[in-house]
C-alpha cells in the first residue's frame, strides 16, 4: 500500500522497518522476557492471588519491567492506538499456553468504564481475548462484567468516590457453575482481578483462573 511506502511500520524498540503485522523485529523479539509459566503449576501470580481470593490456575505471558520491552508493548497497546497489538500478544500466548484437557468455560476480560472506552476508542483486552477465544474454541463474554465507576488518580478522589471505588465492578447477569478465565493486561497488586473475581465467585458455584499479558514480579 502507498501508506506503507511513505509511513512504514517500524520496530517499537530499534525503529527498523518491519512487516505491517509485527510489533518488533526478530532481533528485538529476543529481548522480550517471557515468563515460561506453566498454567497449572505454582507461579508468582498464583501466590499473590491466593492471598486475595480462591484461584484455580494462573498464567502470565511476559515479565513486566519498568524499562523493558514488555512495558513498551503494553504502552503501544493501551495508549498508542495499536489495538492490533492485542492480537499479536495473543498469538504469542497461544504458542506458549497449553490448557491440555482442562479448558475454562468462558473468557472474561476486565472492562473499561464506558467513559474511558469512549476516550480510548477500544478496550485493549478485546482483540487479545477474541484471538484466544478463536484459537482455543472457548467462548468469550464482554458484557458479563461492568465497571461501575470512572477511575481517576486516587489522590484526586474525595471521600465519597473512594467509598464508591470499594465496589468497582458488578455482574450484568447471573452466572453459576462456570470456570471463568479472567484476563487483564498487567498484574501488579492483584487488586483489580480480585475485585472482579469476587463478583464472579459470589454469584454462584463458579471457579476463577487468571491470565495476564505481563506480571510485575
Amino acid at each position: 500500500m502507498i501508506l506503507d511506502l511513505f509511513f512504514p511500520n517500524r520496530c517499537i524498540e530499534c525503529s527498523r522497518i518491519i512487516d505491517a503485522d509485527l510489533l518488533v523485529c526478530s532481533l528485538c523479539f529476543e529481548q522480550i522476557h517471557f515468563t515460561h509459566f506453566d498454567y497449572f503449576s505454582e507461579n508468582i501470580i498464583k501466590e499473590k492471588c491466593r492471598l486475595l481470593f480462591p484461584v484455580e490456575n494462573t498464567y502470565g505471558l511476559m515479565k513486566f519491567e519498568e524499562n523493558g520491552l514488555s512495558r513498551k508493548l503494553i504502552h503501544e497497546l493501551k495508549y498508542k492506538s495499536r489495538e492490533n497489538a492485542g492480537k499479536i500478544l495473543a498469538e504469542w500466548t497461544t504458542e506458549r499456553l497449553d490448557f491440555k484437557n482442562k479448558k475454562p468455560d468462558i473468557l472474561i476480560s476486565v472492562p473499561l468504564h464506558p467513559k474511558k472506552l469512549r476516550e480510548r476508542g477500544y478496550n485493549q483486552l478485546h482483540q487479545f481475548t477474541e484471538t484466544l477465544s478463536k484459537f482455543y474454541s472457548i467462548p468469550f463474554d464482554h458484557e458479563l462484567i461492568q465497571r461501575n465507576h470512572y477511575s481517576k488518580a486516587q489522590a484526586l478522589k474525595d471521600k465519597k468516590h473512594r467509598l464508591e471505588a470499594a465496589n468497582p465492578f458488578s455482574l450484568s447477569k447471573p452466572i453459576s457453575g462456570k470456570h471463568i478465565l479472567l484476563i487483564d493486561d498487567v498484574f501488579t497488586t492483584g487488586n483489580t482481578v480480585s475485585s472482579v473475581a469476587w463478583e464472579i465467585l459470589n454469584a454462584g458455584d463458579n471457579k476463577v483462573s487468571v491470565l495476564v499479558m505481563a506480571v510485575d514480579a
Side-chain angles (χ1 to χ4, degrees), residues 11-47:
C11 172
I12 65 171
E13 177 69 4
C14 69
S15 295
R16 288 187 180 92
I17 296 175
I18 56 176
D19 290 346
D21 59 347
L22 298 178
L23 290 171
V24 295
C25 68
S26 58
L27 292 176
C28 291
F29 181 81
E30 300 301 321
Q31 299 178 30
I32 301 172
H33 294 154
F34 293 105
T35 65
H36 305 293
F37 286 169
D38 184 303
Y39 175 70
F40 298 100
S41 300
E42 297 299 311
N43 56 61
I44 188 63
I45 303 175
K46 187 174 292 186
E47 291 174 10

Side-chain angles (χ1 to χ4, degrees), residues 158-199:
D158 56 27
K159 183 177 180 180
K160 176 177 180 291
H161 286 96
R162 286 197 296 270
L163 290 173
E164 286 178 345
N167 187 24
F169 301 98
S170 60
L171 291 176
S172 63
K173 55 190 173 185
I175 186 168
S176 183
K178 299 296 183 181
H179 181 184
I180 293 173
L181 182 62
L182 179 57
I183 297 172
D184 202 2
D185 46 26
V186 180
F187 187 99
T188 50
T189 64
N191 289 335
T192 298
V193 294
S194 177
S195 295
V196 178
W198 277 116
E199 290 297 321

Side-chain angles (χ1 to χ4, degrees), residues 4 52 54-56 59 79 84 90 97 114 128 136 138 141 145-146 148 158 168 171 177 193 208 216:
D4 294 334
L52 301 169
V55 69
E56 299 297 315
Y59 181 82
Y79 306 116
N84 71 310
L97 173 58
F128 182 84
Y136 293 111
I138 304 171
D141 189 339
I145 297 289
Q146 59 188 20
N148 297 327
D158 56 27
L171 291 176
V193 294
V208 175
D216 185 2

